[in-house]
Structures are given as C-alpha cells and as structure tokens.
Amino acid sequence: MPKYHDEIDAVLRALADPTRRAVVERLAKSPAVVSELAAPFSMALPSLMQHLRVLEDAGLVTSHKHGRVRTVTLRPGAFDILHLWLDEQRTPAERQADRLGIHLVRTEPKDS
Amino acid sequence: MPKYHDEIDAVLRALADPTRRAVVERLAKSPAVVSELAAPFSMALPSLMQHLRVLEDAGLVTSHKHGRVRTVTLRPGAFDILHLWLDEQRTPAERQADRLGIHLVRTEPKDS
C-alpha cells in the first residue's frame, strides 16, 4: 500500500514540527484566518504560509479565500489515518485488553 | 506543560522517519533482537542503533542485553501520549459525534 505509507509519512512529518502542531491545536477550536494564525508566532507570513502548505499537502487542513481573507479549517477526519496506523501498532497484549474493555462497556448497567 | 510538549515532540519526531516506523511496526508483533530488526534494511548496524536510540529516548521502545544479544521491546502504552494529544485535537463537531457514538453503543441490543 504505497499510498497509505505516503499519507502516514506526510501526516507525521507535518506534525513533527512544533509550529505546525500549534497551528493544528488552534484550528481544533475553530477555523481561523491566516493573520489570526500568524499572531502568536514571531514569524514572517511567508514562513507561516509554507507551514500551512505542508499541513494542507498532508490532508490535515483546508483553506479558502473570500476576497483578500484566507480562512483555514482543520479537515474533518484529519487524523483518521493516524488513528488507523496507531490501531495497527497495538501489541497482542493490548488487543486482548481492548477486547476485555469492550466486554465491560457492553455489560455495564445502563443507568450507571 | 513543557514536559508534555517535549514528550509529544520527541514521539512525533521519532515516528516521522519511515525506517523508525518500520521498526515500530515490526516490534508491535513481538520483541526482537537487534540483528532481526536490522535484516530488512540495507543499513549499517550503527545507523540502526542510532534509530533505536531515538525511539528509546522518545519512550517508544525499551531494550535489554543478555550476554551479547540485545532485545528490543515496544513499550506498553508507548502511544498513550499521542492518543492524548489526538484526543485534544477533536473539533467541537467531532466531540458531539463521539457523544452520539457512545449513546448508540449503550442502547445497542446486547445480542446483536
């Protein structure tokens, strides 16, 4: 699955940078315009735009322009591929514990 | 929380490299000795050892030596901090969907 491997690679490379992570953390609260995203960082706008491009290429954010204002949004399901990869890395012991966990939820009294 | 930020930074930097990710994927199946981990990669042993050190520093793997043989193990709960971070990045809409999901599981007939 080369496509899957390329995608997970792009997502993890994008998230390995603390500035890009801070942008994602901000966008998880709500969409934001570029100037708003730039404000907390002492960074030239072109550098921020480059970070946004990496996030967009990794499928983590989308952006659209209204007049001169560009709004950036965290893509719904942005982290699905990372959740999938993490799920695949569960050890045999963790899979067993997970199955036990599911059993406990299903047999829990409904009014608790 | 500077410690948390350093930890998540170390984990994501460690996982952003495809060789280190392949090592993690192999270790998710079972612990392995270093020579076994090196086999699929056309890589000098010192380079592999350096990758293992990055994974170990990020808290993702542990290793111990018996005689001349070093065994590497994926640390239980290795990805807890990444799950925590991902959980924090859920958008308001996703949080609402998750609550609905929990409701559906709880009202599901037990014998289905």
Side-chain angles (χ1 to χ4, degrees):
Chain A
M1 273 192 293
K3 193 171 172 289
Y4 170 69
H5 282 289
D6 288 350
E7 283 177 16
I8 191 75
D9 199 61
V11 166
L12 285 167
R13 280 177 199 272
L15 295 178
D17 179 272
T19 301
R20 290 195 290 265
R21 236 164 25 242
V23 168
V24 165
E25 288 164 4
R26 167 62 192 81
L27 293 175
K29 292 180 179 66
S30 70
V33 301
V34 169
S35 59
E36 225 182 307
L37 289 174
F41 307 108
S42 51
M43 182 180 284
L45 205 63
S47 303
L48 182 74
M49 291 307 291
Q50 205 169 351
H51 282 308
L52 289 177
R53 207 164 308 124
V54 174
L55 290 170
E56 202 158 355
D57 288 348
L60 294 172
V61 309
T62 54
S63 73
H64 59 271
K65 214 168 174 179
H66 279 293
R68 293 175 60 191
V69 176
R70 180 172 290 279
T71 305
V72 188
T73 307
L74 191 61
R75 204 173 61 72
F79 302 113
D80 285 358
I81 194 164
L82 189 47
H83 282 293
L84 184 67
W85 187 82
L86 285 169
D87 196 55
E88 286 169 357
Q89 308 326 315
R90 288 180 308 155
T91 62
E94 283 169 335
R95 287 175 196 278
Q96 201 175 357
D98 286 353
R99 281 194 295 273
L100 181 64
I102 289 163
H103 177 73
L104 291 173
V105 168
R106 291 215 169 170
T107 58
E108 195 180 41
K110 280 190 190 173
D111 296 326
S112 71
Chain B
M1 268 193 296
K3 194 172 170 289
Y4 170 69
H5 282 287
D6 288 351
E7 283 177 16
I8 191 76
D9 200 62
V11 165
L12 285 167
R13 280 177 198 272
L15 295 178
D17 179 89
T19 301
R20 289 195 290 265
R21 235 163 28 242
V23 168
V24 165
E25 288 164 3
R26 167 60 192 84
L27 292 175
K29 293 181 180 65
S30 69
V33 300
V34 169
S35 58
E36 225 182 308
L37 290 174
F41 308 108
S42 51
M43 182 181 280
L45 205 64
S47 302
L48 181 75
M49 293 306 292
Q50 206 168 351
H51 282 306
L52 289 176
R53 207 166 307 124
V54 174
L55 289 170
E56 201 158 356
D57 288 348
L60 294 173
V61 309
T62 54
S63 73
H64 59 270
K65 213 168 177 180
H66 278 292
R68 295 174 60 190
V69 177
R70 181 172 290 278
T71 304
V72 188
T73 307
L74 191 62
R75 205 174 60 72
F79 301 112
D80 284 358
I81 193 163
L82 189 47
H83 281 293
L84 184 66
W85 187 82
L86 284 169
D87 196 56
E88 286 170 358
Q89 306 328 312
R90 286 180 308 154
T91 62
E94 284 171 333
R95 287 176 196 278
Q96 200 175 354
D98 286 352
R99 281 194 296 272
L100 180 64
I102 288 164
H103 177 72
L104 290 173
V105 167
R106 291 213 168 172
T107 56
E108 193 181 42
K110 280 191 189 172
D111 297 325
S112 71

